């Protein structure tokens, strides 16, 4: 069998390894094919004694087993990855739920603060109304203390006339003077 020409897969079967490992060994050691039949390359089994020695070492066997994947190993790996992804997904959902709860609490707090501010605004409006009434009463008392006739006139004007600005009131209360004539009209 040593002088016989074999393909990569036949050599792998003879050595008890996989064809990919034989291909890597050929590339690493630059072994040329003895004969080519179409696409198939044929090699001597004696060229692979070094690979046989590598495979007989205990460390090499463990390494070869660690590199070879079976369908069951692949399925177990995929299941583990799926479980890890499921755990991550569950953590994201839990985090999302906590965020939603936190936002709901923030909204409730904001509504409470809004209602408080609304109440404060109502109190402020009532205070402004009360202060306006007090100011009007104080002005009325101040006028009564000064001149009772002015008070009657102010009340009479308030009842009969619409409000006027203070400048209009001054114009109405001042005596009307005769229109001025120019100096040149006096001469002629």
């Amino acid at each position: 069998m040593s002088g016989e020409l074999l393909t990569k897969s036949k050599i792998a079967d003879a050595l008890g390894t996989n064809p990919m490992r034989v291909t890597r060994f050929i590339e690493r050691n630059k072994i040329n094919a003895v004969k080519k039949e179409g696409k198939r390359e044929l090699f001597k089994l004696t060229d692979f004694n070094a690979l046989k020695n590598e495979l007989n070492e205990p460390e090499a066997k463990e390494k070869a087993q660690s590199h070879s994947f079976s369908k069951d190993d692949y399925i177990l790996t995929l299941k583990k990855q799926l479980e890890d992804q499921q755990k991550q997904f569950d953590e994201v959902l839990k985090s999302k739920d906590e965020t939603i709860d936190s936002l709901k609490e923030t909204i409730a707090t904001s509504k409470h603060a809004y209602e408080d501010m609304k109440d404060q605004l109502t109190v402020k409006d009532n205070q402004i109304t009360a202060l306006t009434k007090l100011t009007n009463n104080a002005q009325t008392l101040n006028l009564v203390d000064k001149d009772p006739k002015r008070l009657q006139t102010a009340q009479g004007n308030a009842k009969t006339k619409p409000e006027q600005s203070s400048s209009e009131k001054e114009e109405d209360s001042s005596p009307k003077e005769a229109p001025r004539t120019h100096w040149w009209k006096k001469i002629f």
Side-chain angles (χ1 to χ4, degrees), residues 24-79:
R24 287 188 199 129
F25 183 79
I26 292 169
E27 291 172 358
R28 189 174 59 223
N29 294 319
K30 298 179 183 176
I31 299 174
N32 294 324
V34 175
K35 186 176 180 184
K36 288 187 178 182
E37 291 179 357
K39 291 184 180 180
R40 294 184 339 164
E41 296 177 330
L42 300 174
F43 299 91
K44 287 183 183 179
L45 187 57
T46 55
D47 292 339
F48 295 93
N49 288 333
L51 180 60
K52 187 176 184 180
N53 293 336
E54 269 183 40
L55 292 173
N56 289 332
E57 296 174 14
E59 295 172 0
K61 286 183 180 178
E62 290 175 15
K63 197 173 185 182
Q65 288 175 352
S66 68
H67 287 297
S68 65
F69 285 107
S70 67
K71 288 181 182 179
D72 294 334
D73 293 338
Y74 189 65
I75 290 172
L76 291 174
T77 304
L78 288 176
K79 281 184 179 179

Side-chain angles (χ1 to χ4, degrees), residues 109-120:
T109 305
S110 297
K111 282 183 180 178
H112 183 68
Y114 172 75
E115 293 299 324
D116 287 346
M117 291 183 121
K118 203 172 176 183
D119 293 343
Q120 290 175 359

Side-chain angles (χ1 to χ4, degrees), residues 127-144:
Q127 289 174 344
I128 288 174
T129 305
L131 286 174
T132 304
K133 287 179 183 176
L134 281 174
T135 306
N136 287 340
N137 289 342
Q139 287 176 347
T140 305
L141 286 174
N142 192 18
L143 288 175
V144 168

Side-chain angles (χ1 to χ4, degrees), residues 143-184:
L143 288 175
V144 168
D145 287 345
K146 289 185 178 177
D147 188 12
K149 289 181 183 178
R150 265 176 101 183
L151 178 63
Q152 289 173 354
T153 341
Q155 288 175 349
N157 285 343
K159 290 177 185 175
T160 58
K161 292 184 182 179
E163 288 188 27
Q164 297 176 338
S165 66
S166 60
S167 61
E168 290 176 0
K169 287 181 184 177
E170 288 176 8
E171 289 177 9
D172 289 345
S173 63
S174 63
K176 297 211 175 185
E177 297 178 10
R180 287 187 162 180
T181 55
H182 292 285
W183 61 272
W184 55 273

